[in-house]
Amino acid sequence: MECVKLLESIDLFGYAGICVGTENSQLLQNSLIILQQENHFRKCYYWGKIYGVRNDYHIAFGFEKDCMNDQVYHYSTDGFNWLLLPQASKCARFLTPLAINKFEGDPSIVTNVYNVNPPFPPNEDPKKYYDGPIPRELKEEDRLAATIEIIRDDAVVIPRGAWFKCPNGDVVENFSFEGLDTADASYLKSYLHARLPQQKWNTNLLTRPDYNYAIDFLDSIDLDVPQGCWDLQFLLGKRLVLLHSLCWPGMTFYHKLNTPHYGFLYFGHGQKNMDVVFMV
């Protein structure tokens, strides 16, 4: 959710049960504008909040040119002082799915995740599954970075046509995007993952009669597994669409139909719903 549109957009998430007070919204918007100016971002976005035992983590990101590949993330425990979030390491990507405890709210805490939830059978050699020394301890700051990366790859979406891929490979915002209409918004294939594509390049080509590589270079969410892991709702007389992720409870995407106004927000504990296959 873009920081300059935070106040006008935050009320829309009330339909999803997400409530942010007016005072907190104003203070958060001011701090994000300062963050944007200090880091020379072209645009700055409020990503959401991950709940912790002691403190909550506010997450924000911005970019200078490429809106997909140049994203730089920051986090804050008070919403005012922002710290640069490190890139997720191989160790953090391996241990984060094993962490079953809640975030503490202290980025310097180090916990032994491996012993609490061993990922491998005790009678098998772990080196068959992991290349290198088996890591056991995980710093909460690294866990936060890996969690955000996983959620971004799984649940952050944009409407079809919102991003445009230039001939030189840069991904920029499509200024001619005027929003989805009611007919297109009712199909999950009109919503794309805001990450590097993982499907074959011709997947959309074989399923779309109006295929355009410049806007269809991303994966659509209708191919996500399991089927039914997204909940689509129309509100305000079909002028607003809300998209909820069942895999990551707390992730909500909104789009005002026939306008270029869209965004997402995550308010949750940073834990994936592993029971979603029994819910759909």
Side-chain angles (χ1 to χ4, degrees):
M1 185 167 51
E2 191 175 354
C3 64
V4 295
K5 299 179 181 178
L6 185 64
L7 294 179
E8 61 181 287
S9 303
I10 201 68
D11 292 338
L12 299 176
F13 289 98
Y15 294 101
I18 299 176
C19 181
V20 180
T22 304
E23 181 180 357
N24 292 333
S25 301
Q26 185 66 67
L27 295 174
L28 191 60
Q29 184 184 45
N30 293 338
S31 68
L32 290 175
I33 292 176
I34 296 174
L35 177 67
Q36 178 180 359
Q37 294 175 348
E38 290 179 345
N39 292 272
H40 306 287
F41 291 145
R42 189 166 66 86
K43 285 191 176 181
C44 185
Y45 294 83
Y46 183 54
W47 190 89
K49 180 167 64 174
I50 294 181
Y51 299 121
V53 177
R54 303 178 188 175
N55 299 296
D56 299 332
Y57 290 108
H58 296 274
I59 312 298
F61 71 94
F63 61 88
E64 295 182 4
K65 184 179 179 181
D66 193 313
C67 57
M68 182 175 68
N69 300 311
D70 292 344
Q71 294 180 2
V72 179
Y73 284 81
H74 290 74
Y75 71 95
S76 172
T77 55
D78 55 10
F80 302 102
N81 302 309
W82 296 92
L83 301 174
L84 180 64
L85 188 69
Q87 294 287 338
S89 61
K90 177 183 176 182
C91 170
R93 294 190 187 99
F94 171 71
L95 291 177
T96 295
L98 306 179
I100 57 178
N101 58 309
K102 295 182 180 180
F103 282 88
E104 289 292 333
D106 184 355
S108 62
I109 289 181
V110 178
T111 56
N112 193 320
V113 177
Y114 187 93
N115 291 346
V116 175
N117 188 18
F120 308 120
N123 57 346
E124 293 190 16
D125 186 9
K127 295 182 180 180
K128 295 181 180 179
Y129 307 96
Y130 188 85
D131 185 18
I134 304 299
R136 297 179 181 274
E137 294 184 342
L138 178 63
K139 187 179 179 181
E140 184 156 291
E141 185 182 45
D142 296 330
R143 179 189 173 188
L144 181 66
T147 300
I148 292 173
E149 181 182 273
I150 295 172
I151 297 177
R152 180 193 63 193
D153 291 346
D154 289 351
V156 175
V157 300
I158 60 170
R160 177 178 181 255
W163 286 0
F164 182 87
K165 189 170 186 178
C166 301
N168 63 354
D170 291 339
V171 179
V172 298
E173 292 181 308
N174 186 4
F175 294 106
S176 63
F177 176 66
E178 298 180 353
L180 301 175
D181 56 23
T182 306
D184 291 335
S186 60
Y187 296 100
L188 290 180
K189 67 179 181 180
S190 298
Y191 306 95
L192 311 176
H193 282 286
R195 53 159 166 78
L196 292 174
Q198 299 178 357
Q199 303 289 338
K200 293 183 178 180
W201 68 271
N202 61 349
T203 301
N204 282 333
L205 174 62
L206 300 175
T207 58
R208 291 186 183 276
D210 56 344
Y211 175 81
N212 183 351
Y213 179 73
I215 60 176
D216 291 323
F217 63 97
L218 299 172
D219 299 331
S220 59
I221 66 173
D222 64 324
L223 302 175
D224 288 357
V225 178
Q227 289 289 334
C229 62
W230 291 96
D231 178 47
L232 184 66
Q233 296 179 350
F234 285 98
L235 298 169
L236 301 179
K238 292 191 174 182
R239 297 192 303 272
L240 174 68
V241 61
L242 290 182
L243 197 61
H244 303 271
S245 173
L246 301 183
C247 292
W248 291 97
M251 173 58 75
T252 304
F253 166 85
Y254 81 93
H255 176 44
K256 287 185 177 180
L257 300 184
N258 300 308
T259 70
H261 196 178
Y262 69 92
F264 70 90
L265 199 63
Y266 177 78
F267 272 47
H269 295 280
Q271 295 180 344
K272 189 173 184 178
N273 179 19
M274 305 304 295
D275 298 326
V276 67
V277 293
F278 305 104
M279 299 170 56
V280 297

